Amino acid sequence: MKAVQAYRFALDLTPVQERAVLAHAGAARVAYNWALARVKAVMDQRAAERTYGVSEELLTASLSWSLPALRRSWNAAKDGVAPWWRECSKEAFNTGLDALARALKNWSDCRSGKRAGRAMGFPRFRSRRRSVPSVRFTTGTMRVEADRKHVVLPRLGRLKLHESARKLARRLDNGTARIMSATVRRDGGRWQVAFCVEVDRADRTPGCPGSVVGVDVGVTHLAVLSTGELVDNPRHLAAAQTRLRRLGRALSRKTGPDRRTGQRPSQRWARASARLGRAHARVSNLRRDGLHKLTTRLARTHGTVVVEDLNVAGMLRNPRLARHITDAGFGELRRQLAYKTAWNGGRLIVADRWYPSSKTCSGCGAVKAKLPLSERTYTCTTCGIILDRDLNAARNLAALATGMDTAGSGPVTGRGADRKTRPGGLVATKRQPGTANAGQTGTVPPQGRTTDHMLARAH
């Protein structure tokens, strides 16, 4: 199968190379701000003309937001806007114009209802001090050197890596990978290069193709599996909170920038800000590493992984849990499972958001109308089963996967709900044939499919 994935490596730049990369990132920012000012001026002019009663056919001609149109406008005006444009690669200006074209399209689609998710605001101008330096190359020479410790990029030349690029080099040498683009970006005070590569991945099979595992994520435990395994939540942000607070207080005592008076930050403020940024980057790297290890193990071991469709954005509105939920990374865990299960020949099933996995008894199927979060042990008054609340939810998720038919396209006829549980005590529901408890496996549909969204309905 063909897949597009990224290989990211840390760069070891010399001062001259770092200035060259910053110049390219600055060129991208200049092109972005120029094009945004041009688009905004045309929009403001048309809005003003409408207030004067000018008809639509006599308004100022609108400016196209597509990347080719913005690139043509830039090429016609670049001699006057940026006389130094020959010093940087054309890919630098294309980076800024492409970012603006995508931002304007997202804003327009959001206003027209074509784009789902949170509302997108109108693009804002990029600041030299607040924006993240980044430049993307899509054409030209992009390769890994034979020593696998250096990479070659257009106009930047030969750059040294902090680590070996042997994983990417092996695929390039075997002809199973093709570099599509390369992005140089400064993250947490360290320069990194990310290669977007089209890879020919060999067909793989999970270690236990017929195994079904339910994954219930939480704050106390990062994940509770239907097999009974408890994955501890490392709480990287909470562990680094003392150091982050100390660095934040040290930064507040330095002379920082002031936009109102035009005051520039001091050198001590810049160094303290860099220390705080590196501390936050370390927390992010630790969280990403732990999630990658967990999701890779699940995708390579089990043929079917079942998770919940959590409303993470709504959960973040709780001020007491927002920081802990963000530290756990629920959304990132599901995102990684989505593509890793496809890579390894398995499948990911996403249970409906209103499926009462925690309120349903995994033994008899009775559903409780109310189950407060403070009640961490599930006790069924019908069959008398007593077990951990999260383990009960994980078992219900695993049993939900067996409600599909052998072709993998039939409806989910097992217990569940398509909305919040109705009040009024326990709801008796019948187990459908083929439903398995935790540790058992049922009929698994063919592998190699993408994420399946399952809607369970109550009877």
Side-chain angles (χ1 to χ4, degrees):
M1 61 176 296
K2 286 187 177 294
V4 178
Q5 64 184 84
Y7 289 84
R8 188 170 62 174
F9 307 101
L11 289 170
D12 185 10
L13 302 179
T14 64
V16 175
Q17 292 173 341
E18 186 173 1
R19 286 195 294 269
V21 176
L22 284 174
H24 280 70
R29 179 180 52 83
V30 169
Y32 177 95
N33 289 339
W34 175 86
L36 178 58
R38 184 181 176 89
V39 170
K40 188 174 176 58
V42 172
M43 293 180 61
D44 293 344
Q45 178 66 23
R46 289 172 61 89
E49 291 173 353
R50 288 191 182 95
T51 61
Y52 301 150
V54 179
S55 59
E56 289 294 329
E57 59 271 10
L58 298 179
L59 292 177
T60 301
S62 60
L63 182 64
S64 176
W65 297 344
S66 64
L67 177 59
L70 293 177
R71 191 186 293 122
R72 287 192 297 268
S73 300
W74 168 258
N75 289 333
K78 62 184 179 182
D79 289 327
V81 177
W84 41 264
W85 64 268
R86 293 178 179 86
E87 301 176 5
C88 299
S89 172
K90 63 182 179 65
E91 293 293 329
F93 306 104
N94 187 75
T95 299
L97 298 177
D98 180 60
L100 178 62
R102 287 185 284 108
L104 289 172
K105 184 179 184 302
N106 291 337
W107 172 74
S108 178
D109 291 346
C110 183
R111 292 190 64 188
S112 60
K114 298 179 182 178
R115 188 179 189 275
R118 299 178 62 183
M120 297 289 296
F122 190 79
R124 295 182 295 180
F125 293 97
R126 291 184 175 180
S127 169
R128 182 168 67 94
R129 298 191 178 277
R130 294 190 301 274
S131 60
V132 178
S134 175
V135 59
R136 181 170 178 258
F137 300 93
T138 57
T139 60
T141 303
M142 296 176 289
R143 69 171 186 267
V144 179
E145 292 285 77
D147 61 356
R148 301 178 179 179
K149 293 286 292 183
H150 295 81
V151 296
V152 177
L153 298 178
R155 295 298 294 268
L156 298 179
R158 192 167 182 260
L159 307 179
K160 184 180 179 182
L161 301 178
H162 267 294
E163 52 189 325
S164 175
R166 59 182 179 273
K167 291 186 178 181
L168 176 58
R170 289 169 183 168
R171 289 191 174 273
L172 294 175
D173 295 341
N174 296 334
T176 59
R178 180 176 64 89
I179 296 179
M180 302 173 61
S181 65
T183 303
V184 181
R185 173 189 175 96
R186 187 172 65 185
D187 185 11
R190 170 172 289 187
W191 286 98
Q192 297 176 343
V193 57
F195 291 98
C196 184
V197 184
E198 184 183 37
V199 179
D200 294 333
R201 299 187 63 90
D203 294 336
R204 302 188 60 176
T205 303
C208 301
S211 175
V212 180
V213 61
V215 182
D216 183 79
V217 297
V219 174
T220 304
H221 294 93
L222 178 60
V224 178
L225 309 184
S226 58
T227 58
E229 178 184 355
L230 305 179
V231 181
D232 292 334
N233 186 3
R235 301 175 183 266
H236 298 296
L237 181 60
Q241 201 64 38
T242 301
R243 174 175 170 79
L244 294 176
R245 288 171 179 168
R246 179 173 59 83
L247 293 176
R249 288 195 299 267
L251 177 64
S252 65
R253 292 193 291 267
K254 308 296 188 296
T255 303
D258 193 338
R259 296 175 59 186
R260 296 170 297 179
T261 62
Q263 176 179 281
R264 298 175 65 88
S266 65
Q267 293 296 324
R268 290 186 177 183
W269 184 93
R271 290 194 294 268
S273 178
R275 285 193 293 267
L276 180 61
R278 287 195 296 269
H280 278 288
R282 183 176 184 275
V283 173
S284 178
N285 293 336
L286 289 173
R287 182 187 302 115
R288 186 184 302 111
D289 178 71
L291 292 176
H292 271 296
K293 291 178 179 177
L294 172 61
T295 54
T296 299
R297 178 167 62 89
L298 293 176
R300 290 182 177 179
T301 304
H302 303 281
T304 302
V305 181
V306 189
V307 296
E308 291 180 293
D309 183 18
L310 298 177
N311 182 18
V312 179
M315 297 167 66
L316 292 180
R317 297 191 184 98
N318 187 336
R320 296 184 178 181
L321 297 176
R323 187 172 64 189
H324 302 288
I325 293 173
T326 305
D327 190 16
F330 294 164
E332 180 66 13
L333 187 144
R334 172 179 163 180
R335 186 191 71 86
Q336 293 181 12
L337 282 175
Y339 70 84
K340 289 184 179 181
T341 50
W343 284 0
N344 292 275
R347 60 169 183 159
L348 175 67
I349 296 178
V350 181
D352 182 70
R353 179 168 295 181
W354 300 115
Y355 174 65
S357 59
S358 298
K359 300 178 182 179
T360 304
C361 176
S362 59
C364 64
V367 182
K368 287 187 176 183
K370 295 292 183 180
L371 186 65
L373 286 175
S374 58
E375 189 175 337
R376 305 310 305 171
T377 301
Y378 185 90
T379 303
C380 181
T381 58
T382 303
C383 65
I385 188 175
I386 300 176
L387 74 166
D388 182 75
R389 170 201 182 106
D390 297 332
L391 178 58
N392 177 71
R395 289 183 177 181
N396 287 325
L397 292 175
L400 183 63
T402 62
M404 299 183 67
D405 57 16
T406 56
S409 59
V412 179
T413 56
R415 50 187 167 73
D418 56 358
R419 60 189 178 197
K420 291 185 178 180
T421 308
R422 304 185 188 90
L426 297 175
V427 179
T429 58
K430 182 180 179 181
R431 286 275 190 177
Q432 301 300 326
T435 303
N437 292 327
Q440 302 176 0
T441 56
T443 303
V444 180
Q447 302 167 0
R449 302 197 176 188
T450 55
T451 305
D452 295 324
H453 290 263
M454 302 179 64
L455 178 63
R457 300 188 179 277
H459 293 274

